[in-house]
Amino acid sequence: EPKIFAVWMKVMAAQPGTKLWLLNFSKAAYKFLRKEAQRRKVDGSRLVFHSKFPKSSELLVKAHADIFLDTPLFNAHTTGGDVLWAGIPVVTLPQENYAQRVAAGLVSAAHLDRQLIVRNEDDYEAVVLALCRKHQLRAQWRRSLEDGRDHLPLFDTKLLTGQVEVGMKMMWDVYAGGQNTSHIIVRRPE
């Protein structure tokens, strides 16, 4: 995503001590992204590429991050839940389709939607820069996420299961009623 990569590079240029962890998909991507970073006046060695972590240590490794930067084109799914469980704030810019809105749902279920769901690239950059600079705020949100494991909707499997069932029934009702497809919103029970 060139637009979001440009935002990341602006943040890294403004915050010299930052590093960006990326999954190493291919040598070509590795070379290209490092070259792009250099072109944008960011030392390419600050882009840290890694292979997938073994499941046994994945959450422990992810907990070492300070911020998770979601990509609008294809959001974090399981990884988003994992990093929120580890106490890492997720900054996300939702778009139109399901794959582009998953992280917003996760962040919302962690009760951080007003702070971490942004509307455009400028807001994305501003929130990420604020998180880079405000260590106490990051620490507060980390504690909030860690303390919320027992009560936040994001981590409530029974609630999630019930809401998925309600959503499936709503979809069936639309289909069985011959209605046009539409967005379905499942409200949290009061």
Short mmCIF file of all heavy atoms in Angstrom, two decimals, residues 114-182:
data_model
loop_
_atom_site.label_atom_id
_atom_site.label_comp_id
_atom_site.label_asym_id
_atom_site.label_seq_id
_atom_site.Cartn_x
_atom_site.Cartn_y
_atom_site.Cartn_z
N ARG A 114 -12.65 5.29 19.64
CA ARG A 114 -12.53 6.74 19.49
C ARG A 114 -11.07 7.19 19.37
O ARG A 114 -10.79 8.21 18.77
CB ARG A 114 -13.20 7.45 20.66
CG ARG A 114 -14.70 7.34 20.62
CD ARG A 114 -15.35 8.30 21.59
NE ARG A 114 -16.78 8.23 21.45
CZ ARG A 114 -17.59 7.79 22.40
NH1 ARG A 114 -17.11 7.40 23.55
NH2 ARG A 114 -18.89 7.75 22.18
N GLN A 115 -10.18 6.43 19.95
CA GLN A 115 -8.77 6.81 19.96
C GLN A 115 -7.98 6.23 18.78
O GLN A 115 -7.04 6.86 18.31
CB GLN A 115 -8.10 6.33 21.27
CG GLN A 115 -8.72 6.92 22.51
CD GLN A 115 -9.83 6.04 23.10
OE1 GLN A 115 -10.45 5.22 22.41
NE2 GLN A 115 -10.07 6.20 24.38
N LEU A 116 -8.34 5.03 18.32
CA LEU A 116 -7.46 4.30 17.40
C LEU A 116 -8.05 4.03 16.02
O LEU A 116 -7.33 3.58 15.13
CB LEU A 116 -7.02 2.98 18.04
CG LEU A 116 -6.21 3.12 19.33
CD1 LEU A 116 -5.95 1.76 19.95
CD2 LEU A 116 -4.91 3.86 19.08
N ILE A 117 -9.34 4.27 15.82
CA ILE A 117 -9.92 4.13 14.49
C ILE A 117 -9.92 5.51 13.86
O ILE A 117 -10.54 6.44 14.37
CB ILE A 117 -11.35 3.56 14.54
CG1 ILE A 117 -11.34 2.16 15.17
CG2 ILE A 117 -11.96 3.51 13.14
CD1 ILE A 117 -12.72 1.56 15.39
N VAL A 118 -9.21 5.65 12.75
CA VAL A 118 -9.02 6.95 12.12
C VAL A 118 -9.80 7.03 10.81
O VAL A 118 -10.22 6.01 10.27
CB VAL A 118 -7.52 7.26 11.91
CG1 VAL A 118 -6.79 7.29 13.24
CG2 VAL A 118 -6.88 6.25 10.98
N ARG A 119 -9.94 8.25 10.27
CA ARG A 119 -10.76 8.46 9.07
C ARG A 119 -9.95 8.66 7.79
O ARG A 119 -10.48 8.54 6.71
CB ARG A 119 -11.66 9.68 9.28
CG ARG A 119 -12.66 9.48 10.37
CD ARG A 119 -13.42 10.76 10.62
NE ARG A 119 -14.28 10.60 11.77
CZ ARG A 119 -15.58 10.71 11.74
NH1 ARG A 119 -16.20 10.99 10.62
NH2 ARG A 119 -16.29 10.56 12.82
N ASN A 120 -8.68 9.02 7.93
CA ASN A 120 -7.87 9.29 6.73
C ASN A 120 -6.39 9.16 7.08
O ASN A 120 -6.03 8.97 8.25
CB ASN A 120 -8.19 10.68 6.15
CG ASN A 120 -8.01 11.78 7.18
OD1 ASN A 120 -6.98 11.89 7.83
ND2 ASN A 120 -9.04 12.62 7.34
N GLU A 121 -5.54 9.27 6.06
CA GLU A 121 -4.10 9.09 6.26
C GLU A 121 -3.51 10.15 7.19
O GLU A 121 -2.62 9.86 7.98
CB GLU A 121 -3.35 9.11 4.92
CG GLU A 121 -3.50 7.85 4.10
CD GLU A 121 -4.65 7.93 3.10
OE1 GLU A 121 -5.32 9.00 3.01
OE2 GLU A 121 -4.89 6.94 2.38
N ASP A 122 -4.02 11.37 7.13
CA ASP A 122 -3.51 12.42 8.03
C ASP A 122 -3.79 12.09 9.49
O ASP A 122 -2.93 12.25 10.36
CB ASP A 122 -4.11 13.78 7.67
CG ASP A 122 -3.60 14.32 6.34
OD1 ASP A 122 -2.51 13.90 5.88
OD2 ASP A 122 -4.31 15.16 5.74
N ASP A 123 -5.02 11.62 9.76
CA ASP A 123 -5.36 11.22 11.13
C ASP A 123 -4.53 10.02 11.57
O ASP A 123 -4.10 9.93 12.72
CB ASP A 123 -6.85 10.88 11.24
CG ASP A 123 -7.76 12.08 11.13
OD1 ASP A 123 -7.25 13.23 11.19
OD2 ASP A 123 -8.98 11.89 10.97
N TYR A 124 -4.33 9.10 10.65
CA TYR A 124 -3.51 7.90 10.93
C TYR A 124 -2.13 8.35 11.39
O TYR A 124 -1.64 7.92 12.43
CB TYR A 124 -3.44 7.07 9.65
CG TYR A 124 -2.79 5.71 9.75
CD1 TYR A 124 -3.55 4.55 9.77
CD2 TYR A 124 -1.40 5.56 9.77
CE1 TYR A 124 -2.97 3.30 9.80
CE2 TYR A 124 -0.81 4.32 9.81
CZ TYR A 124 -1.60 3.19 9.83
OH TYR A 124 -1.00 1.95 9.87
N GLU A 125 -1.51 9.23 10.61
CA GLU A 125 -0.17 9.73 10.95
C GLU A 125 -0.17 10.44 12.30
O GLU A 125 0.71 10.20 13.13
CB GLU A 125 0.31 10.69 9.86
CG GLU A 125 1.68 11.27 10.13
CD GLU A 125 2.12 12.25 9.05
OE1 GLU A 125 1.46 12.35 7.99
OE2 GLU A 125 3.13 12.93 9.27
N ALA A 126 -1.16 11.28 12.54
CA ALA A 126 -1.22 12.04 13.79
C ALA A 126 -1.35 11.11 15.00
O ALA A 126 -0.68 11.31 16.03
CB ALA A 126 -2.39 13.03 13.75
N VAL A 127 -2.19 10.10 14.90
CA VAL A 127 -2.38 9.17 16.02
C VAL A 127 -1.11 8.35 16.26
O VAL A 127 -0.68 8.18 17.40
CB VAL A 127 -3.61 8.25 15.78
CG1 VAL A 127 -3.66 7.11 16.80
CG2 VAL A 127 -4.89 9.07 15.83
N VAL A 128 -0.50 7.88 15.19
CA VAL A 128 0.74 7.10 15.34
C VAL A 128 1.84 7.96 15.96
O VAL A 128 2.54 7.53 16.89
CB VAL A 128 1.19 6.48 14.00
CG1 VAL A 128 2.55 5.81 14.13
CG2 VAL A 128 0.16 5.47 13.51
N LEU A 129 2.00 9.18 15.48
CA LEU A 129 3.01 10.08 16.06
C LEU A 129 2.73 10.35 17.54
O LEU A 129 3.65 10.35 18.36
CB LEU A 129 3.07 11.40 15.29
CG LEU A 129 3.88 11.37 14.01
CD1 LEU A 129 3.69 12.65 13.21
CD2 LEU A 129 5.37 11.15 14.30
N ALA A 130 1.46 10.58 17.87
CA ALA A 130 1.11 10.81 19.28
C ALA A 130 1.49 9.60 20.13
O ALA A 130 2.03 9.74 21.22
CB ALA A 130 -0.38 11.12 19.41
N LEU A 131 1.20 8.40 19.62
CA LEU A 131 1.55 7.19 20.37
C LEU A 131 3.06 7.01 20.49
O LEU A 131 3.56 6.53 21.51
CB LEU A 131 0.92 5.96 19.72
CG LEU A 131 -0.57 5.79 19.97
CD1 LEU A 131 -1.14 4.70 19.07
CD2 LEU A 131 -0.83 5.45 21.43
N CYS A 132 3.79 7.39 19.46
CA CYS A 132 5.26 7.32 19.53
C CYS A 132 5.80 8.26 20.60
O CYS A 132 6.76 7.94 21.30
CB CYS A 132 5.88 7.69 18.18
SG CYS A 132 5.71 6.46 16.90
N ARG A 133 5.19 9.41 20.72
CA ARG A 133 5.71 10.45 21.62
C ARG A 133 5.17 10.36 23.04
O ARG A 133 5.80 10.86 23.97
CB ARG A 133 5.37 11.82 21.03
CG ARG A 133 6.09 12.07 19.73
CD ARG A 133 5.65 13.36 19.07
NE ARG A 133 6.45 13.58 17.86
CZ ARG A 133 6.00 14.22 16.80
NH1 ARG A 133 4.78 14.73 16.79
NH2 ARG A 133 6.77 14.37 15.74
N LYS A 134 4.00 9.77 23.20
CA LYS A 134 3.35 9.75 24.52
C LYS A 134 3.46 8.36 25.15
O LYS A 134 2.52 7.57 25.12
CB LYS A 134 1.89 10.18 24.40
CG LYS A 134 1.76 11.62 23.92
CD LYS A 134 0.31 12.02 23.78
CE LYS A 134 0.20 13.45 23.28
NZ LYS A 134 -1.19 13.87 23.10
N HIS A 135 4.61 8.10 25.73
CA HIS A 135 4.88 6.78 26.31
C HIS A 135 3.89 6.44 27.43
O HIS A 135 3.48 5.29 27.56
CB HIS A 135 6.31 6.71 26.82
CG HIS A 135 7.33 7.02 25.78
ND1 HIS A 135 7.69 6.12 24.81
CD2 HIS A 135 8.04 8.16 25.53
CE1 HIS A 135 8.59 6.68 24.00
NE2 HIS A 135 8.82 7.91 24.41
N GLN A 136 3.51 7.44 28.22
CA GLN A 136 2.58 7.17 29.33
C GLN A 136 1.20 6.77 28.81
O GLN A 136 0.55 5.90 29.38
CB GLN A 136 2.48 8.38 30.24
CG GLN A 136 3.74 8.60 31.06
CD GLN A 136 3.63 9.82 31.97
OE1 GLN A 136 2.92 10.77 31.67
NE2 GLN A 136 4.36 9.77 33.07
N LEU A 137 0.76 7.40 27.73
CA LEU A 137 -0.53 7.05 27.14
C LEU A 137 -0.50 5.62 26.61
O LEU A 137 -1.43 4.84 26.84
CB LEU A 137 -0.88 8.01 26.00
CG LEU A 137 -2.19 7.73 25.27
CD1 LEU A 137 -3.39 7.83 26.22
CD2 LEU A 137 -2.35 8.69 24.09
N ARG A 138 0.59 5.27 25.92
CA ARG A 138 0.75 3.90 25.42
C ARG A 138 0.71 2.91 26.58
O ARG A 138 0.06 1.87 26.51
CB ARG A 138 2.07 3.76 24.65
CG ARG A 138 1.91 3.58 23.20
CD ARG A 138 3.15 3.22 22.44
NE ARG A 138 4.39 3.10 23.14
CZ ARG A 138 5.38 3.99 23.12
NH1 ARG A 138 5.25 5.11 22.44
NH2 ARG A 138 6.50 3.78 23.77
N ALA A 139 1.42 3.24 27.65
CA ALA A 139 1.47 2.35 28.82
C ALA A 139 0.08 2.22 29.45
O ALA A 139 -0.32 1.14 29.87
CB ALA A 139 2.47 2.87 29.84
N GLN A 140 -0.67 3.33 29.49
CA GLN A 140 -2.03 3.31 30.04
C GLN A 140 -2.92 2.40 29.21
O GLN A 140 -3.68 1.59 29.75
CB GLN A 140 -2.58 4.73 30.07
CG GLN A 140 -4.03 4.83 30.48
CD GLN A 140 -4.57 6.24 30.27
OE1 GLN A 140 -3.83 7.20 30.18
NE2 GLN A 140 -5.88 6.35 30.19
N TRP A 141 -2.84 2.52 27.88
CA TRP A 141 -3.68 1.68 27.02
C TRP A 141 -3.25 0.22 27.10
O TRP A 141 -4.08 -0.68 27.04
CB TRP A 141 -3.65 2.18 25.58
CG TRP A 141 -4.43 3.44 25.40
CD1 TRP A 141 -5.24 4.04 26.33
CD2 TRP A 141 -4.48 4.25 24.25
NE1 TRP A 141 -5.78 5.18 25.81
CE2 TRP A 141 -5.34 5.34 24.53
CE3 TRP A 141 -3.89 4.19 23.01
CZ2 TRP A 141 -5.62 6.34 23.61
CZ3 TRP A 141 -4.17 5.18 22.08
CH2 TRP A 141 -5.03 6.24 22.38
N ARG A 142 -1.96 -0.03 27.25
CA ARG A 142 -1.47 -1.41 27.42
C ARG A 142 -2.09 -2.02 28.67
O ARG A 142 -2.63 -3.12 28.65
CB ARG A 142 0.05 -1.46 27.48
CG ARG A 142 0.59 -2.88 27.64
CD ARG A 142 2.11 -2.91 27.75
NE ARG A 142 2.76 -2.61 26.51
CZ ARG A 142 3.23 -3.54 25.65
NH1 ARG A 142 3.09 -4.82 25.91
NH2 ARG A 142 3.83 -3.19 24.55
N ARG A 143 -2.01 -1.26 29.78
CA ARG A 143 -2.59 -1.76 31.03
C ARG A 143 -4.10 -1.98 30.89
O ARG A 143 -4.64 -2.98 31.37
CB ARG A 143 -2.32 -0.78 32.18
CG ARG A 143 -0.94 -0.91 32.79
CD ARG A 143 -0.79 -0.11 34.08
NE ARG A 143 -1.14 1.31 33.93
CZ ARG A 143 -0.34 2.25 33.44
NH1 ARG A 143 0.87 1.93 33.05
NH2 ARG A 143 -0.75 3.50 33.35
N SER A 144 -4.77 -1.05 30.22
CA SER A 144 -6.22 -1.17 30.01
C SER A 144 -6.56 -2.43 29.23
O SER A 144 -7.50 -3.15 29.57
CB SER A 144 -6.72 0.08 29.27
OG SER A 144 -8.06 -0.06 28.94
N LEU A 145 -5.79 -2.70 28.19
CA LEU A 145 -6.03 -3.91 27.39
C LEU A 145 -5.73 -5.17 28.20
O LEU A 145 -6.50 -6.13 28.18
CB LEU A 145 -5.19 -3.89 26.11
CG LEU A 145 -5.68 -2.93 25.03
CD1 LEU A 145 -4.59 -2.70 23.99
CD2 LEU A 145 -6.95 -3.45 24.39
N GLU A 146 -4.62 -5.17 28.92
CA GLU A 146 -4.26 -6.34 29.72
C GLU A 146 -5.28 -6.57 30.83
O GLU A 146 -5.69 -7.70 31.07
CB GLU A 146 -2.84 -6.17 30.29
CG GLU A 146 -1.77 -6.27 29.23
CD GLU A 146 -0.38 -5.87 29.72
OE1 GLU A 146 -0.25 -5.29 30.83
OE2 GLU A 146 0.59 -6.14 28.97
N ASP A 147 -5.70 -5.49 31.49
CA ASP A 147 -6.69 -5.61 32.56
C ASP A 147 -8.06 -6.00 32.02
O ASP A 147 -8.88 -6.58 32.73
CB ASP A 147 -6.83 -4.29 33.34
CG ASP A 147 -5.57 -3.94 34.13
OD1 ASP A 147 -4.69 -4.82 34.30
OD2 ASP A 147 -5.46 -2.77 34.56
N GLY A 148 -8.33 -5.66 30.74
CA GLY A 148 -9.63 -5.93 30.14
C GLY A 148 -9.83 -7.33 29.61
O GLY A 148 -10.90 -7.66 29.12
N ARG A 149 -8.82 -8.16 29.73
CA ARG A 149 -8.95 -9.52 29.20
C ARG A 149 -10.13 -10.27 29.81
O ARG A 149 -10.69 -11.16 29.18
CB ARG A 149 -7.66 -10.31 29.44
CG ARG A 149 -6.51 -9.83 28.60
CD ARG A 149 -5.26 -10.61 28.93
NE ARG A 149 -4.11 -10.07 28.22
CZ ARG A 149 -2.87 -10.19 28.63
NH1 ARG A 149 -2.60 -10.85 29.74
NH2 ARG A 149 -1.89 -9.67 27.93
N ASP A 150 -10.51 -9.90 31.03
CA ASP A 150 -11.62 -10.60 31.70
C ASP A 150 -12.98 -9.99 31.43
O ASP A 150 -14.00 -10.61 31.74
CB ASP A 150 -11.39 -10.61 33.22
CG ASP A 150 -10.21 -11.47 33.62
OD1 ASP A 150 -9.89 -12.44 32.88
OD2 ASP A 150 -9.59 -11.18 34.65
N HIS A 151 -13.03 -8.76 30.84
CA HIS A 151 -14.34 -8.14 30.69
C HIS A 151 -14.60 -7.41 29.37
O HIS A 151 -15.74 -7.08 29.09
CB HIS A 151 -14.62 -7.18 31.86
CG HIS A 151 -13.72 -5.99 31.86
ND1 HIS A 151 -12.50 -6.01 32.48
CD2 HIS A 151 -13.86 -4.75 31.32
CE1 HIS A 151 -11.93 -4.83 32.32
NE2 HIS A 151 -12.72 -4.05 31.62
N LEU A 152 -13.58 -7.15 28.59
CA LEU A 152 -13.81 -6.46 27.31
C LEU A 152 -14.56 -7.38 26.34
O LEU A 152 -14.29 -8.58 26.28
CB LEU A 152 -12.49 -6.03 26.67
CG LEU A 152 -11.80 -4.82 27.30
CD1 LEU A 152 -10.41 -4.64 26.70
CD2 LEU A 152 -12.63 -3.56 27.09
N PRO A 153 -15.50 -6.83 25.56
CA PRO A 153 -16.24 -7.66 24.60
C PRO A 153 -15.32 -8.41 23.62
O PRO A 153 -15.64 -9.52 23.22
CB PRO A 153 -17.11 -6.64 23.84
CG PRO A 153 -17.23 -5.48 24.75
CD PRO A 153 -15.97 -5.44 25.57
N LEU A 154 -14.18 -7.80 23.28
CA LEU A 154 -13.25 -8.45 22.34
C LEU A 154 -12.82 -9.83 22.82
O LEU A 154 -12.63 -10.74 22.02
CB LEU A 154 -12.00 -7.56 22.15
CG LEU A 154 -10.89 -8.15 21.29
CD1 LEU A 154 -11.37 -8.42 19.87
CD2 LEU A 154 -9.69 -7.22 21.28
N PHE A 155 -12.68 -9.99 24.11
CA PHE A 155 -12.16 -11.24 24.66
C PHE A 155 -13.26 -12.12 25.27
O PHE A 155 -12.97 -13.12 25.92
CB PHE A 155 -11.08 -10.95 25.70
CG PHE A 155 -9.99 -10.04 25.19
CD1 PHE A 155 -9.72 -8.83 25.81
CD2 PHE A 155 -9.25 -10.38 24.06
CE1 PHE A 155 -8.73 -7.99 25.33
CE2 PHE A 155 -8.26 -9.55 23.57
CZ PHE A 155 -8.00 -8.34 24.21
N ASP A 156 -14.52 -11.78 25.05
CA ASP A 156 -15.66 -12.51 25.61
C ASP A 156 -16.19 -13.50 24.56
O ASP A 156 -17.02 -13.16 23.72
CB ASP A 156 -16.75 -11.51 26.02
CG ASP A 156 -17.92 -12.15 26.73
OD1 ASP A 156 -18.14 -13.38 26.59
OD2 ASP A 156 -18.65 -11.42 27.43
N THR A 157 -15.70 -14.72 24.61
CA THR A 157 -16.04 -15.73 23.61
C THR A 157 -17.53 -16.06 23.60
O THR A 157 -18.13 -16.23 22.53
CB THR A 157 -15.21 -17.01 23.84
OG1 THR A 157 -13.84 -16.65 23.88
CG2 THR A 157 -15.44 -18.03 22.76
N LYS A 158 -18.14 -16.12 24.76
CA LYS A 158 -19.57 -16.44 24.83
C LYS A 158 -20.39 -15.33 24.15
O LYS A 158 -21.30 -15.61 23.38
CB LYS A 158 -19.99 -16.60 26.29
CG LYS A 158 -21.41 -17.05 26.47
CD LYS A 158 -21.73 -17.30 27.94
CE LYS A 158 -23.17 -17.75 28.09
NZ LYS A 158 -23.52 -17.98 29.49
N LEU A 159 -20.07 -14.08 24.42
CA LEU A 159 -20.75 -12.96 23.78
C LEU A 159 -20.55 -13.01 22.27
O LEU A 159 -21.51 -12.86 21.50
CB LEU A 159 -20.23 -11.62 24.33
CG LEU A 159 -20.75 -10.36 23.65
CD1 LEU A 159 -22.25 -10.19 23.89
CD2 LEU A 159 -19.98 -9.14 24.15
N LEU A 160 -19.31 -13.24 21.83
CA LEU A 160 -19.01 -13.30 20.40
C LEU A 160 -19.83 -14.40 19.71
O LEU A 160 -20.43 -14.18 18.66
CB LEU A 160 -17.51 -13.53 20.17
CG LEU A 160 -17.10 -13.76 18.72
CD1 LEU A 160 -17.36 -12.51 17.88
CD2 LEU A 160 -15.64 -14.17 18.63
N THR A 161 -19.85 -15.57 20.32
CA THR A 161 -20.60 -16.68 19.74
C THR A 161 -22.07 -16.32 19.59
O THR A 161 -22.68 -16.55 18.54
CB THR A 161 -20.45 -17.94 20.63
OG1 THR A 161 -19.06 -18.25 20.74
CG2 THR A 161 -21.19 -19.12 20.05
N GLY A 162 -22.64 -15.71 20.61
CA GLY A 162 -24.04 -15.30 20.55
C GLY A 162 -24.28 -14.27 19.47
O GLY A 162 -25.28 -14.34 18.74
N GLN A 163 -23.36 -13.31 19.32
CA GLN A 163 -23.53 -12.28 18.30
C GLN A 163 -23.36 -12.86 16.89
O GLN A 163 -24.06 -12.43 15.97
CB GLN A 163 -22.55 -11.13 18.54
CG GLN A 163 -22.95 -10.31 19.77
CD GLN A 163 -22.02 -9.14 20.00
OE1 GLN A 163 -20.80 -9.28 20.00
NE2 GLN A 163 -22.59 -7.97 20.21
N VAL A 164 -22.46 -13.80 16.71
CA VAL A 164 -22.31 -14.45 15.41
C VAL A 164 -23.60 -15.19 15.06
O VAL A 164 -24.08 -15.12 13.92
CB VAL A 164 -21.08 -15.40 15.38
CG1 VAL A 164 -21.10 -16.29 14.15
CG2 VAL A 164 -19.79 -14.60 15.45
N GLU A 165 -24.18 -15.87 16.02
CA GLU A 165 -25.43 -16.58 15.78
C GLU A 165 -26.56 -15.61 15.40
O GLU A 165 -27.32 -15.87 14.46
CB GLU A 165 -25.82 -17.40 17.02
CG GLU A 165 -24.92 -18.59 17.24
CD GLU A 165 -25.15 -19.28 18.59
OE1 GLU A 165 -25.91 -18.75 19.43
OE2 GLU A 165 -24.56 -20.36 18.78
N VAL A 166 -26.65 -14.49 16.10
CA VAL A 166 -27.66 -13.48 15.77
C VAL A 166 -27.43 -12.94 14.36
O VAL A 166 -28.36 -12.80 13.56
CB VAL A 166 -27.66 -12.33 16.81
CG1 VAL A 166 -28.48 -11.14 16.32
CG2 VAL A 166 -28.17 -12.81 18.16
N GLY A 167 -26.17 -12.66 14.03
CA GLY A 167 -25.83 -12.16 12.69
C GLY A 167 -26.19 -13.15 11.60
O GLY A 167 -26.73 -12.77 10.55
N MET A 168 -25.94 -14.42 11.84
CA MET A 168 -26.28 -15.44 10.84
C MET A 168 -27.80 -15.53 10.66
O MET A 168 -28.29 -15.67 9.55
CB MET A 168 -25.69 -16.78 11.24
CG MET A 168 -24.20 -16.84 11.06
SD MET A 168 -23.57 -18.47 11.49
CE MET A 168 -21.86 -18.27 11.09
N LYS A 169 -28.53 -15.43 11.75
CA LYS A 169 -30.00 -15.44 11.66
C LYS A 169 -30.48 -14.22 10.88
O LYS A 169 -31.38 -14.34 10.04
CB LYS A 169 -30.62 -15.45 13.06
CG LYS A 169 -32.12 -15.24 13.04
CD LYS A 169 -32.87 -16.30 13.74
CE LYS A 169 -34.36 -16.13 13.78
NZ LYS A 169 -35.06 -15.51 12.70
N MET A 170 -29.89 -13.06 11.13
CA MET A 170 -30.27 -11.85 10.40
C MET A 170 -29.99 -12.02 8.91
O MET A 170 -30.81 -11.63 8.07
CB MET A 170 -29.51 -10.64 10.95
CG MET A 170 -29.93 -10.25 12.37
SD MET A 170 -28.80 -9.05 13.13
CE MET A 170 -29.24 -7.55 12.25
N MET A 171 -28.84 -12.62 8.56
CA MET A 171 -28.52 -12.85 7.15
C MET A 171 -29.52 -13.81 6.52
O MET A 171 -29.97 -13.60 5.39
CB MET A 171 -27.08 -13.41 7.01
CG MET A 171 -26.01 -12.38 7.26
SD MET A 171 -24.35 -13.01 6.92
CE MET A 171 -24.01 -13.94 8.40
N TRP A 172 -29.87 -14.86 7.25
CA TRP A 172 -30.83 -15.82 6.73
C TRP A 172 -32.18 -15.15 6.50
O TRP A 172 -32.82 -15.37 5.47
CB TRP A 172 -30.99 -17.02 7.67
CG TRP A 172 -32.06 -17.94 7.16
CD1 TRP A 172 -33.34 -18.08 7.63
CD2 TRP A 172 -31.97 -18.79 6.01
NE1 TRP A 172 -34.04 -18.98 6.86
CE2 TRP A 172 -33.21 -19.43 5.85
CE3 TRP A 172 -30.95 -19.08 5.12
CZ2 TRP A 172 -33.47 -20.34 4.84
CZ3 TRP A 172 -31.20 -19.98 4.10
CH2 TRP A 172 -32.45 -20.60 3.97
N ASP A 173 -32.60 -14.31 7.44
CA ASP A 173 -33.88 -13.62 7.29
C ASP A 173 -33.89 -12.73 6.05
O ASP A 173 -34.90 -12.67 5.34
CB ASP A 173 -34.19 -12.78 8.54
CG ASP A 173 -34.50 -13.64 9.77
OD1 ASP A 173 -34.75 -14.86 9.61
OD2 ASP A 173 -34.47 -13.09 10.88
N VAL A 174 -32.78 -12.05 5.77
CA VAL A 174 -32.69 -11.21 4.56
C VAL A 174 -32.80 -12.10 3.32
O VAL A 174 -33.56 -11.82 2.40
CB VAL A 174 -31.36 -10.40 4.55
CG1 VAL A 174 -31.10 -9.79 3.19
CG2 VAL A 174 -31.38 -9.34 5.63
N TYR A 175 -32.04 -13.20 3.31
CA TYR A 175 -32.05 -14.12 2.16
C TYR A 175 -33.44 -14.74 1.97
O TYR A 175 -34.01 -14.72 0.88
CB TYR A 175 -31.00 -15.21 2.35
CG TYR A 175 -31.07 -16.29 1.31
CD1 TYR A 175 -30.56 -16.08 0.04
CD2 TYR A 175 -31.67 -17.52 1.60
CE1 TYR A 175 -30.64 -17.07 -0.93
CE2 TYR A 175 -31.75 -18.52 0.64
CZ TYR A 175 -31.24 -18.28 -0.63
OH TYR A 175 -31.32 -19.25 -1.58
N ALA A 176 -33.98 -15.30 3.05
CA ALA A 176 -35.28 -15.99 2.97
C ALA A 176 -36.41 -15.03 2.61
O ALA A 176 -37.39 -15.43 1.97
CB ALA A 176 -35.58 -16.69 4.29
N GLY A 177 -36.26 -13.77 2.96
CA GLY A 177 -37.28 -12.77 2.64
C GLY A 177 -37.13 -12.19 1.25
O GLY A 177 -37.89 -11.33 0.85
N GLY A 178 -36.12 -12.66 0.50
CA GLY A 178 -35.91 -12.19 -0.85
C GLY A 178 -35.44 -10.74 -0.94
O GLY A 178 -35.58 -10.10 -1.96
N GLN A 179 -34.88 -10.24 0.14
CA GLN A 179 -34.41 -8.84 0.18
C GLN A 179 -33.03 -8.72 -0.47
O GLN A 179 -32.29 -9.71 -0.58
CB GLN A 179 -34.34 -8.37 1.63
CG GLN A 179 -35.66 -8.45 2.38
CD GLN A 179 -35.45 -8.21 3.87
OE1 GLN A 179 -34.53 -7.53 4.27
NE2 GLN A 179 -36.34 -8.78 4.68
N ASN A 180 -32.72 -7.52 -0.90
CA ASN A 180 -31.36 -7.25 -1.39
C ASN A 180 -30.38 -7.33 -0.24
O ASN A 180 -30.73 -7.02 0.91
CB ASN A 180 -31.28 -5.86 -2.03
CG ASN A 180 -32.04 -5.78 -3.33
OD1 ASN A 180 -32.18 -6.78 -4.04
ND2 ASN A 180 -32.52 -4.60 -3.66
N THR A 181 -29.17 -7.74 -0.54
CA THR A 181 -28.16 -7.80 0.51
C THR A 181 -27.89 -6.40 1.05
O THR A 181 -28.04 -5.40 0.34
CB THR A 181 -26.84 -8.40 -0.01
OG1 THR A 181 -26.37 -7.61 -1.09
CG2 THR A 181 -27.03 -9.84 -0.45
N SER A 182 -27.54 -6.34 2.31
CA SER A 182 -27.26 -5.06 2.96
C SER A 182 -26.33 -5.31 4.14
O SER A 182 -26.09 -6.46 4.52
CB SER A 182 -28.56 -4.41 3.44
OG SER A 182 -29.18 -5.23 4.41
#
